[in-house]
């Protein structure tokens, strides 16, 4: 692929603008958060062109934003944020992605590395056994048609009512684990059929469970409020989404939007950007269906968190409560939200698309848990399985500049095919074990796709958002044990 | 004449280029390419028959719909397919008899969890006497 050669306007060391004049049809400029070095790989991938394409969408306000972990997606780039005026703007399923509410949940423990390391093999085996994972995996919970409706409306709430986890978990989940407006009538039979057997499963691909140890704390006050005590403490990270259910919802509504694009006379540079006005019947139907899928994902992570606690409790012979396994937070990485933001000095209702991006609301915001009111919303940024993950918090600058959004992870460097050709799954396991990381995976070859070398370094990504001021680093943790589908 | 299909790389995902002397062959080769991403098609026995009908507003969309129909069968009902007899094909409608079997953990090795066929970089054209199509999948 040819390199993207056009000029980017440097705003400062971490901000680069794609002028509105780059392409006729752009309604706003593009804004990329990146270091000078990162720009090169972005240019190789032509991602700035995708950022510019998003700027064509009707009703877009501010800038078409790109986070430093951005990589090429279909239509919208992954790592992109776009806010549309709900009055005259559009909603696009491609701006959310297929895996609706793919996201991350982080649990703390009272355990130290010294206590866990000698038992890590047992723990990882227990997690592998207790949390259904892998391609074609089916859940341990059987969901009837009627329960599926309740799950779509209730999200994590539904799971807690069924005995999976604690009320306290809901307090520290984005949207309380239940996005309003979910309407099961908007869900096709096919989506239900894909979703019902997969409820409560981790899935495959880049989804994982990770037992981590805190390596560094950058902000002791914020860490303390989250229950992160210091280096050596063990945490557990859960990364999964809405499985085949979300994919079917996205596929269904891309089809709907194809028709809508013609009906409303919307001109697009890429078919995968298909969209409809937020206020149109098609736009509303998508938002109601997307909420069902978002809730499905929250129910999914809620069930998995429950089984994680059970596995720990069984292996270590103490209750999850005694082990201090409280939830720190749960965030969505792929979602569209109706929010109020300040645009050009006035309050505006917007539909914020975050595709591979995290909400990062500042201290004092009404939508974040009271316990975090002083520090800002926790932001969870997983890296690849060999390196590290970060906990950060949202800032006022994010609110003022990026519609309260920040990065979501490392971002791919090598395609899955290129990773498989150059890296061997068994070698990956050996390398990780040499570094003291225990891995269990359903599929050994697919491990190669997720090797460290296939990803950008998440530390560089987090440094950019920290330096740019759209979030603040709190802590860093490295893996002890990994379970992959 | 090129082979029936090729696998292509896409940073986040994976794609196929399928070939066919006619449109029917193109659609059946694209389906075979899809199942070669999911598993080894040689290990699939054509023991069950599935009759499928798909419609879409144009031929490009029809290809995406057709592949999504097959992905649905795999994801929701764990069906693997390896033979696709396209019985009728217009610009907007397709009818096919597909042969395969249910996924068996012992017999079939799953390679990639293909979750959706996308419209991204979707191309369907005719080069001389040969049809050619490119599809990117979300995995």
């Amino acid at each position: 692929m040819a390199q993207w050669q056009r000029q980017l306007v440097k705003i400062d060391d971490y901000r680069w603008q794609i002028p509105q004049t780059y392409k006729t049809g752009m309604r706003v400029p593009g804004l990329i958060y990146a270091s000078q070095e990162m720009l090169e790989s972005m240019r190789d991938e032509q991602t700035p062109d995708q950022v510019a394409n998003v700027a064509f969408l009707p009703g877009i306000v501010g800038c078409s934003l790109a986070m430093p972990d951005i990589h090429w997606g279909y239509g919208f780039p992954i790592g992109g944020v776009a806010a549309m005026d709900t009055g005259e703007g559009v909603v696009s399923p491609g701006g959310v992605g297929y895996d609706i509410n793919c996201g991350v949940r982080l649990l703390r423990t009272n355990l130290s590395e010294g206590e866990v390391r000698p038992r890590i093999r047992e723990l990882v085996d227990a997690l592998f056994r207790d949390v259904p994972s892998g391609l074609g995996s089916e859940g341990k919970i059987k969901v009837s048609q009627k329960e599926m409706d309740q799950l779509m409306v209730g999200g994590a709430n539904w799971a807690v009512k069924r005995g999976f986890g604690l009320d306290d978990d809901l307090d520290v989940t984005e949207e309380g684990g239940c996005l309003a407006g979910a309407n099961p009538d908007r869900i096709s039979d096919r989506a239900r059929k894909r979703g019902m057997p997969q409820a409560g499963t981790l899935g495959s691909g880049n989804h994982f469970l990770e037992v981590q140890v805190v390596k560094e704390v950058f902000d002791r006050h914020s860490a303390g409020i989250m229950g992160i005590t210091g280096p050596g403490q063990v945490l557990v990270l859960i990364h999964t989404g809405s499985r085949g259910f979300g994919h079917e919802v996205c596929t269904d509504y891309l089809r709907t939007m194809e028709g809508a694009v013609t009906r409303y006379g919307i001109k697009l540079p890429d078919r995968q950007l298909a969209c409809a006005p937020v206020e149109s019947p098609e736009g509303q139907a998508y938002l109601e269906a997307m909420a069902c899928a978002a809730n499905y994902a929250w129910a999914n992570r809620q069930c998995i968190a429950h089984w994680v606690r059970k596995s720990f409790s069984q292996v270590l012979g103490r209750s999850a409560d005694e082990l201090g396994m409280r939830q720190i937070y749960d965030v969505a990485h792929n979602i569209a939200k109706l929010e109020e933001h300040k645009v050009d000095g006035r309050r505006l209702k917007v539909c914020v698309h975050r595709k591979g991006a995290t909400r990062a609301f500042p201290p004092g915001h009404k939508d974040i848990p009271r316990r975090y009111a002083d520090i800002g919303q926790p932001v969870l940024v997983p890296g690849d399985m060999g390196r590290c993950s970060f906990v950060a918090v949202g800032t006022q600058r994010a609110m003022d500049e990026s519609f309260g959004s920040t990065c979501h992870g490392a971002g791919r460097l090598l395609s899955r095919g290129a990773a498989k050709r150059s890296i061997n799954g068994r070698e990956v396991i050996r390398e990780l074990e040499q570094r003291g990381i225990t891995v269990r995976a359903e599929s050994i070859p697919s491990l190669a796709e997720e090797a460290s070398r296939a990803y950008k370094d998440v530390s560089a990504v987090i440094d950019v958002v920290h330096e740019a001021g759209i979030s603040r680093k709190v802590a860093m943790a490295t893996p002890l044990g990994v379970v992959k589908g | 004449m090129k082979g029936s299909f090729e696998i292509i790389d896409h940073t986040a995902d994976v794609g196929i280029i399928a070939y066919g002397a006619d449109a029917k062959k193109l659609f059946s080769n694209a389906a075979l390419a899809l199942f070669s991403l999911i598993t080894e098609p040689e290990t699939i026995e054509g023991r069950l028959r599935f009759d499928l009908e798909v419609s879409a507003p144009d031929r490009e969309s029809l290809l995406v719909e057709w592949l999504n129909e097959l992905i649905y069968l795999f994801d929701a009902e764990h069906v693997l397919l390896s033979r696709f007899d396209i019985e009728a094909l217009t610009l907007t409608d397709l009818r096919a008899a597909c042969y395969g079997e249910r996924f068996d953990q012992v017999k079939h090795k799953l390679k990639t969890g293909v979750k959706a066929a996308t419209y991204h970089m979707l191309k369907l054209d005719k080069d001389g006497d040969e049809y050619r199509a490119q599809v990117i999948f979300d995995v």
Side-chain angles (χ1 to χ4, degrees):
Chain A
M1 197 185 305
Q3 213 199 30
W4 192 81
Q5 294 286 7
R6 299 292 289 270
Q7 194 67 40
L8 288 167
V9 180
K10 183 173 178 175
I11 298 172
D12 60 29
D13 287 349
Y14 304 101
R15 287 174 180 77
W16 308 80
Q17 194 200 52
I18 307 171
Q20 206 178 326
T21 49
Y22 162 58
K23 266 188 183 180
T24 312
M26 283 175 73
R27 294 165 194 263
V28 294
L31 177 62
I32 300 176
Y33 293 92
S35 63
Q36 177 94 45
E37 300 80 67
M38 286 171 171
L39 283 179
E40 285 312 303
S41 74
M42 289 181 190
R43 283 178 186 276
D44 285 344
E45 272 203 309
Q46 296 266 342
T47 5
D49 198 57
Q50 291 201 316
V51 179
N53 286 347
V54 172
F56 278 66
L57 293 175
I60 187 167
V61 292
C63 290
S64 167
L65 297 163
M67 295 300 151
D69 48 340
I70 195 166
H71 55 98
W72 205 41
Y74 13 80
F76 281 75
I78 297 160
V81 176
M84 281 70 170
D85 181 338
T86 53
E88 52 197 57
V90 293
V91 60
S92 172
V96 173
Y98 283 97
D99 193 355
I100 296 167
N101 192 5
C102 181
V104 186
R105 178 174 292 219
L106 185 64
L107 308 178
R108 70 172 298 285
T109 73
N110 289 337
L111 294 159
S112 68
E113 183 179 358
E115 290 168 275
V116 170
R117 196 175 275 287
R119 312 291 298 273
I120 191 67
R121 170 56 65 184
E122 278 172 85
L123 270 170
V124 167
D125 286 347
L127 291 168
F128 189 71
R129 182 193 63 219
D130 295 342
V131 180
S133 70
L135 259 182
S137 57
E138 297 210 348
K140 298 198 288 193
I141 43 171
K142 292 283 166 271
V143 182
S144 67
Q145 283 275 5
K146 198 176 146 210
E147 276 181 306
M148 184 66 184
D149 279 8
Q150 293 164 347
L151 184 158
M152 289 188 256
V153 174
N157 226 312
W158 170 86
V160 169
K161 275 195 196 133
R162 279 217 24 187
F164 299 104
L166 315 166
D167 281 330
D168 184 65
D169 299 343
L170 303 176
D171 290 343
V172 281
T173 300
E174 184 173 335
E175 296 295 330
C178 173
L179 189 59
N183 180 358
D185 292 345
R186 303 297 189 197
I187 299 299
S188 68
D189 282 346
R190 298 162 69 99
R192 280 169 194 275
K193 280 197 185 135
R194 278 178 85 169
M196 282 162 56
Q198 295 179 4
T201 62
L202 187 65
S204 61
N206 61 347
H207 296 148
F208 62 83
L209 291 178
E210 201 166 86
V211 181
Q212 309 178 323
V213 55
V214 176
K215 282 287 160 183
E216 210 176 336
V217 172
F218 309 99
D219 171 354
R220 283 169 73 176
H221 173 68
S222 301
I225 288 175
M226 294 184 202
I228 298 175
T229 50
Q233 182 188 10
V234 169
L235 309 175
V236 188
L237 189 80
I238 300 163
H239 179 203
T240 186
S242 50
R243 311 282 286 105
F245 183 65
H247 277 79
E248 195 64 35
V249 169
C250 182
T251 301
D252 286 346
Y253 281 89
L254 278 172
R255 200 179 298 133
T256 307
M257 296 306 180
E258 281 271 308
V261 166
T262 320
R263 213 156 23 251
Y264 299 102
I266 301 169
K267 290 207 167 40
L268 298 173
D270 181 342
R271 227 175 149 169
Q272 192 77 25
L273 295 173
C275 55
V278 176
E279 301 291 357
S280 68
E282 295 89 341
Q284 288 298 307
Y286 170 67
L287 284 170
E288 290 171 11
M290 185 209 68
C292 291
N295 290 340
Y296 179 97
W298 272 313
N300 203 17
R301 290 198 287 277
Q302 186 63 47
C303 294
I304 291 172
H306 173 72
W307 293 319
V308 165
R309 286 174 171 139
K310 266 181 79 173
S311 305
F312 267 73
S313 168
Q314 209 168 46
V315 171
L316 300 167
R318 275 177 281 167
S319 73
D321 195 36
E322 282 172 282
L323 294 171
M325 296 186 78
R326 276 195 298 104
Q327 182 172 317
I328 292 175
Y329 204 61
D330 176 309
V331 286
H333 284 165
N334 284 353
I335 203 160
K337 302 281 274 288
L338 299 174
E339 294 172 359
E340 210 178 89
H341 286 273
K342 214 175 202 173
V343 182
D344 300 327
R346 63 190 177 105
R347 307 290 311 170
L348 197 64
K349 278 210 170 107
V350 288
C351 178
V352 185
H353 296 72
R354 297 191 181 96
K355 182 184 186 180
T358 314
R359 193 182 75 173
F361 279 177
H365 194 285
K366 65 175 175 51
D367 291 336
I368 70 174
R370 201 176 305 155
R371 74 189 72 165
Y372 298 136
D374 291 341
I375 60 169
Q377 178 215 305
V379 169
L380 311 173
V381 184
D384 60 79
M385 64 186 169
R387 266 184 287 225
C388 55
S389 298
F390 286 86
V391 179
V393 282
T395 61
Q396 189 55 44
R397 184 121 192 221
M399 209 60 197
D400 297 339
E401 198 176 292
S402 59
F403 299 98
S405 315
T406 189
C407 64
H408 87 304
R412 251 187 191 281
L413 201 57
L414 291 182
S415 72
R416 291 170 201 268
K420 267 190 178 168
R421 277 194 299 279
S422 61
I423 310 167
N424 170 305
R426 297 220 170 268
E427 262 171 49
V428 173
I429 295 190
R430 206 164 38 239
E431 272 174 38
L432 291 173
E433 306 243 312
Q434 273 166 6
R435 288 164 49 204
I437 304 166
T438 305
V439 191
R440 273 298 300 264
E442 187 65 47
S443 158
I444 305 291
S446 70
L447 262 183
E449 298 176 4
E450 302 302 319
S452 283
R453 269 170 286 163
Y455 283 90
K456 294 177 197 163
D457 183 2
V458 68
S459 309
V461 169
I462 204 86
D463 281 344
V464 169
V465 293
H466 180 87
E467 294 298 332
I470 55 171
S471 29
R472 212 156 42 72
K473 282 199 283 195
V474 172
M476 185 266 275
T478 56
L480 265 183
V482 185
V483 173
K484 289 206 53 95
Chain B
M1 177 79 191
K2 301 186 187 78
S4 55
F5 65 83
E6 292 165 31
I7 304 299
I8 52 169
D9 268 353
H10 184 270
T11 313
D13 304 293
V14 62
I16 57 158
I17 295 176
Y19 303 95
D22 55 38
K24 283 184 179 174
K25 198 69 199 148
L26 178 77
F27 274 64
S28 102
N29 282 341
L32 190 64
L34 165 65
F35 280 96
S36 81
L37 288 172
I38 297 174
T39 187
E40 304 292 348
E42 311 82 65
T43 62
I44 305 169
E45 281 179 81
R47 293 194 288 194
L48 299 173
R49 174 180 164 145
F50 296 83
D51 289 301
L52 303 181
E53 283 184 42
V54 183
S55 302
D58 55 69
R59 181 158 278 175
E60 285 190 345
S61 309
L62 189 66
L63 180 63
V64 169
E65 288 288 323
W66 158 239
L67 296 170
N68 275 328
E69 183 76 30
L70 300 171
I71 291 168
Y72 167 75
L73 268 177
F74 164 65
D75 199 42
E77 298 180 22
H78 299 172
V79 170
L80 295 170
L81 300 164
S82 59
R83 190 180 131 202
F84 311 88
D85 297 344
I86 313 289
E87 296 170 341
L89 179 67
T90 66
L91 288 177
T92 57
D93 297 277
L94 172 149
R95 195 178 74 234
C98 310
Y99 298 85
E101 60 184 326
R102 290 199 197 274
F103 168 63
D104 174 345
Q105 228 170 354
V106 182
K107 190 169 165 190
H108 306 115
K109 198 182 93 192
L110 291 181
K111 294 199 298 195
T112 306
V114 180
K115 291 172 190 146
T118 75
Y119 287 95
H120 187 60
M121 289 172 56
L122 175 64
K123 263 188 238 155
L124 197 163
D125 45 39
K126 204 176 166 192
D127 181 11
D129 287 339
E130 192 176 53
Y131 282 88
R132 182 180 177 279
Q134 170 178 288
V135 184
I136 305 287
F137 294 100
D138 185 49
V139 296

